[in-house]
Amino acid sequence: MSMSSGRGDRERLVVIGGDAAGMSAASQARRMRGPDELEIVAFERGHFSSYSACGIPYWVGGDVPERDRLIARTPQEHRARDIDLRMRTEVTEIDVAGRRVRARDLASGGESWVSYDGLVIATGARPIRPDMPGADAPGVHGVQTLGDGQALLDSLVHTGGRRAVVVGAGYIGVEMAEALINRGYEVTVVNRGSEPMSTLDPDMGRLVHRAMEGLGITMVNDAEVTKLLTGQDGRVRAVATEDAEYPADVVVLGIGVRPETALARAAGLPLGAHGGLLTDLAMRVRGHEEIWAGGDCVEVLNLVSGQEQYVPLGTHANKHGQVIGTNAGGGYATFPGVVGTAVSKVCDLEIARTGLREKDAHRVGLQFETVTIESTSRAGYYPGASPMTVKMLAERRTGRLLGVQIVGREGAAKRVDIAAVALTAGMTVEQMTALDLGYAPPFSPVWDPVLVAARKATSKVRAT
Ligand SMILES: Cc1cc2nc3c(=O)[nH]c(=O)nc-3n(C[C@H](O)[C@H](O)[C@H](O)COP(=O)(O)OP(=O)(O)OC[C@H]3O[C@@H](n4cnc5c(N)ncnc54)[C@H](O)[C@@H]3O)c2cc1C
């Protein structure tokens, strides 16, 4: 960053957003440059800094006993590291030409302009709220922030209801279904798609569907919610679709997020097709030497498809922050892109994916073969072996690995990391068959399920 602004002897880095991406960037910049050289001012409009939203389902479900375990670093801890983190302060405007931001203290309403030499935009994502009657009624909850999680827990504890409806069957929806089951609720999941987990191909989503029903969850697919019905007390009492009503003492919304880029848009910064900020490999906003952006407010390059994609995940937000902080601190780092790896679980069912689904590969014009194999998590004779399904996509003719999806129980989710590494390395399925993976009967069959799929995919590619 060129930070020779001549505003005193210290340069100033301003960070918008006090969670994963923003505070990783601030912390790394501080590691790179001491307070004598670099002043760091961070603005967070919420009540919490550096917390794990990823842990909310496990806190609500009772696996994590208390909220504060999800907070990695408090505002006081950041301030002790010479980061001037200003909580409950919202940035309302970015003046790119003037290199300054306008900040509003949400308690007092007071506004001031703060100049910067370098700026980090880490404003995250905004959850989609359905625009329909009843969407804001008491008993209807999002789970985006710790405050949302607390409100949901209060609702569960104080209303003593027994029936919960989750709207949306992406990973947050299925994780919340588990949390509510753990709290003793009868759970219905209402899903617009034909199967849960649309990040999988529908044939693999069907396995999740069946397993969720096996766990006692009622799955309603192909259903569009039309309104949320309220009782005389104003609280939600049911979720209505075009065809039916599902009684609910509590409703959890998990219908996705959009990049929080209103500020960036108003400032004229470049946005992509998905509404996220566009950056270069150093996480610099394209065309702006002194502005970086990372986390849920940016689009990322998918290394398999070669296309920009919106992948709002904490794993990327933390890496972006590290790269931004290194560069803002005068070092050099890049974020090359993602291969699309994601894991989640509902009770003991583990769900994993990486790379491209069939429809992604079609969309970018790749021709491919698919194989689906059934195997087990441990040697078949070893106690506790459980079934595992692996689907693999390989490019026609070249045999390059394009994607893997795994549904199973113990050990299914993290097995996908083998495929994530293979995708990153650009391996063919034939090269994968020779991978020297660990084997002992308690951990896998002698041919790991991923290798069985790679062998079968190799034969199929050779035959075409
Ligand atoms: C329930 C749930 C479960 C999840 N599970 C996983 C998981 O298992 N694995 C995974 O990889 N990811 C998971 N995620 C996603 C992960 O939490 C996000 O990708 C991550 O938090 C993104 O970090 P971020 O810093 O980009 O954005 P955020 O965490 O959204 O932080 C952005 C911050 O900026 C603040 N802000 C925005 N605008 C302004 C402004 N104008 N002025 C001041 N402050 C502002 C916001 O208040 C917010 O605190 C989960 C998310 C949720 C909600």
Side-chain angles (χ1 to χ4, degrees), residues 98-422:
R99 291 197 178 183
R100 57 185 192 155
V101 298
R102 185 164 56 186
R104 180 189 295 146
D105 180 326
L106 295 176
S108 69
E111 292 201 342
S112 57
W113 285 98
V114 177
S115 61
Y116 61 78
D117 300 283
L119 177 67
V120 179
I121 304 175
T123 45
R126 179 182 286 273
I128 299 169
R129 295 285 293 196
D131 182 18
M132 63 180 63
D136 295 320
V140 180
H141 296 272
V143 284
Q144 182 76 6
T145 64
L146 285 188
D148 293 339
Q150 188 64 62
L152 171 59
L153 263 177
D154 291 346
S155 200
L156 298 180
V157 170
H158 298 304
T159 54
R162 293 275 57 93
R163 290 166 307 188
V165 174
V166 177
V167 181
Y171 80 93
I172 291 180
V174 304
E175 288 176 4
M176 289 312 301
E178 167 179 342
L180 291 160
I181 285 205
N182 289 348
R183 288 271 165 197
Y185 278 70
E186 285 168 33
V187 179
T188 300
V189 178
V190 180
N191 174 35
R192 177 195 277 177
S194 63
E195 296 293 354
M197 294 302 297
S198 62
T199 48
L200 305 179
D201 285 322
D203 51 339
M204 295 297 280
R206 198 163 306 128
L207 302 180
V208 177
H209 176 171
R210 280 198 216 119
M212 286 174 74
E213 288 184 335
L215 292 164
I217 297 166
T218 304
M219 271 304 311
V220 184
N221 290 316
D222 295 312
E224 191 79 41
V225 172
T226 51
K227 55 184 150 173
L228 300 170
L229 305 172
T230 50
Q232 287 190 334
D233 58 358
R235 264 190 82 81
V236 72
R237 67 169 178 81
V239 171
T241 65
E242 276 166 9
D243 306 321
E245 277 180 28
Y246 302 93
D249 302 302
V250 67
V251 173
V252 174
L253 302 173
I255 51 177
V257 295
R258 295 209 176 93
E260 179 68 280
T261 47
L263 270 182
R265 182 187 296 275
L269 298 175
L271 304 182
H274 310 279
L277 275 154
L278 295 176
T279 70
D280 64 15
L281 295 179
M283 302 309 298
R284 229 180 225 108
V285 173
R286 286 184 202 165
H288 294 270
E289 189 63 19
E290 72 293 350
I291 307 179
W292 288 267
D296 283 5
C297 65
V298 303
E299 299 189 5
V300 289
L301 179 66
N302 184 307
L303 297 169
V304 190
S305 69
Q307 311 245 315
E308 306 286 346
Q309 219 188 330
Y310 183 55
V311 190
L313 286 176
T315 174
H316 307 319
N318 281 284
K319 292 182 187 114
H320 291 168
Q322 183 79 12
V323 167
I324 292 169
T326 300
N327 292 325
Y332 172 65
T334 58
F335 182 82
V338 306
V339 293
T341 311
V343 294
S344 49
K345 80 178 189 75
V346 50
C347 300
D348 64 349
L349 184 80
E350 298 186 0
I351 306 157
R353 56 98 64 216
T354 189
L356 307 184
R357 297 164 297 183
E358 292 194 29
K359 70 174 175 187
D360 306 319
H362 279 306
R363 193 167 42 227
V364 293
L366 288 164
Q367 293 193 6
F368 56 89
E369 302 294 340
T370 67
V371 296
T372 302
I373 64 101
E374 307 287 339
S375 183
T376 51
S377 58
R378 306 173 179 191
Y381 56 81
Y382 192 87
S386 59
M388 190 179 296
T389 306
V390 180
K391 176 170 181 174
M392 188 171 280
L393 276 70
E395 188 179 14
R396 191 179 152 200
R397 210 164 47 80
T398 69
R400 177 170 66 113
L401 178 70
L402 295 179
V404 168
Q405 298 160 39
I406 310 179
V407 175
R409 292 194 154 71
E410 175 200 56
K414 289 297 280 178
R415 252 189 183 90
V416 87
D417 289 346
I418 304 167
V421 173

